[in-house]
Amino acid sequence: MFSKPSKILILNGLIIFMIINSFFRYPLFLFVQILLGILILLIFNSIYFSTNNDEFKIEDNQSPFSKSFSTLIKQIPFPLLIVNKEGEFLYASPAFKNILNNKATNIAQTNVEMRSILTHALDVSLNRHYEFNYNLRVYDLHFVLLKKNQYLFIFTDITRQITDQRNTRRFLADASHELRTPITAIKGISESLISNQEKDVDVIHNFLSQIHFQRERLETMVSDMLLTSKLSQHHISIDKTKFDLLELVTQAQKSFQKEYDKKGLTLQIPTTSLFIHADYKKVLTIMNNLIHNALRYSEQGVVTVDYYEESNHIIITVEDQGFGISTEDLDSLFERFYRVDSARNSKIGGSGLGLSITKQLVEEHGGKILVESEINKGSKFKVILPQS
């Protein structure tokens, strides 16, 4: 009915449509979609223009183009599989073999979960893609019918994208609540001042102090959001100078001393100098975030700040005797928008950005951050920065 070039044109058009459709589902990941599209186009055209046998096997093709093509797709990081109608593997990329975790040569030899996924796709026999869960990961499966009952499967791991979308939705909900709280407080206090025509200086001063506190809270939240945006786009510079950590830690202590005194907590800092070559403002942000985090998640005891030099690195520690963090939460602790214990955080507040910002700033310095914690005993954060 159609000539061979016409079929190729139609198939390529379908692929482009699939790419566009996929782009609208995940607009933030255009590069991955373009890469997938190029790969599928290469496979289509290599098959249709090949003078080889009807059965397509990349390793068996000896033409110069196929050797280059085989080398190319072996470098593709995402899983790729080509099967025939009988379910035999004509090609399985190293990435696919890694997630399969066995030496299957056909669909029947795969585990129950993967067999169900591939069999379902073959039964549908449509050019399309859909999401599925496998081995605690989320994949987007691109399924394309090739010539003579040959089928192409491309698996894209979208676990991070799905997690980011979920966390972003949660953050927007949390942020709207957190922003509403100080705004409502400022509105209520200002209305009271206006309507009651208060004359008592002490009462007025108390109201103004509350407005000032809520204003600072709003400013911190907005600043965290802007800093997070800059870090995610790498629009931030590290301006290193030589300075004394004692001066920096003392400044951080003064910022939080009143809040610590109010909760009956003790904030201990070193008394000796230690010089470091780093970005003063960024390290101060790191210190403020860790000290504030310890304040929020402690009800009693001592928060101890320390620093020392070890193996040409500066080690900074902040240790508290607070609620502690579960092992499950430790794995996600530094993820953007992640917050430990939602029920408790509804009272404590916070946007879930502080530790994510801290980790990114540490890494911008070429360092790393570690945490040890035990429920109901406290947590210890360790920042490791290169001295040079």
Side-chain angles (χ1 to χ4, degrees), residues 151-195:
Y151 305 87
L152 169 66
F153 299 91
I154 297 180
F155 302 78
T156 307
D157 188 341
I158 58 172
T159 308
R160 184 60 183 270
Q161 292 93 311
I162 295 296
T163 302
D164 285 347
Q165 289 178 357
R166 186 183 302 118
N167 287 339
T168 300
R169 287 194 295 267
R170 182 174 63 187
F171 167 74
L172 290 175
D174 290 344
S176 63
H177 172 75
E178 296 297 334
L179 288 171
R180 191 183 299 114
T181 301
I183 290 174
T184 301
I186 291 172
K187 180 183 177 182
I189 295 169
S190 59
E191 287 176 349
S192 295
L193 285 172
I194 293 171
S195 61

Side-chain angles (χ1 to χ4, degrees), residues 107-122:
I107 293 177
Q109 294 176 357
T110 61
N111 58 47
V112 175
E113 192 175 1
M114 181 59 72
R115 184 161 62 248
S116 174
I117 293 165
L118 298 177
T119 302
H120 173 71
L122 287 175

Side-chain angles (χ1 to χ4, degrees), residues 223-234:
S223 296
D224 279 353
M225 293 177 189
L226 291 175
L227 181 54
T228 297
S229 176
K230 289 181 179 179
L231 285 168
S232 65
Q233 299 176 45
H234 303 286

Side-chain angles (χ1 to χ4, degrees), residues 80-135:
L80 169 68
L81 176 67
I82 300 176
V83 303
N84 60 21
K85 186 63 175 178
E86 289 71 36
E88 296 174 335
F89 292 178
L90 305 182
Y91 179 77
S93 69
F96 177 78
K97 293 176 182 177
N98 286 339
I99 68 167
L100 194 60
N101 201 26
N102 67 25
K103 297 182 179 180
T105 59
N106 58 62
I107 293 177
Q109 294 176 357
T110 61
N111 58 47
V112 175
E113 192 175 1
M114 181 59 72
R115 184 161 62 248
S116 174
I117 293 165
L118 298 177
T119 302
H120 173 71
L122 287 175
D123 290 341
V124 173
S125 295
L126 291 174
N127 297 337
R128 65 173 199 156
H129 58 86
Y130 63 91
E131 296 174 11
F132 67 92
N133 296 294
Y134 183 76
N135 281 351

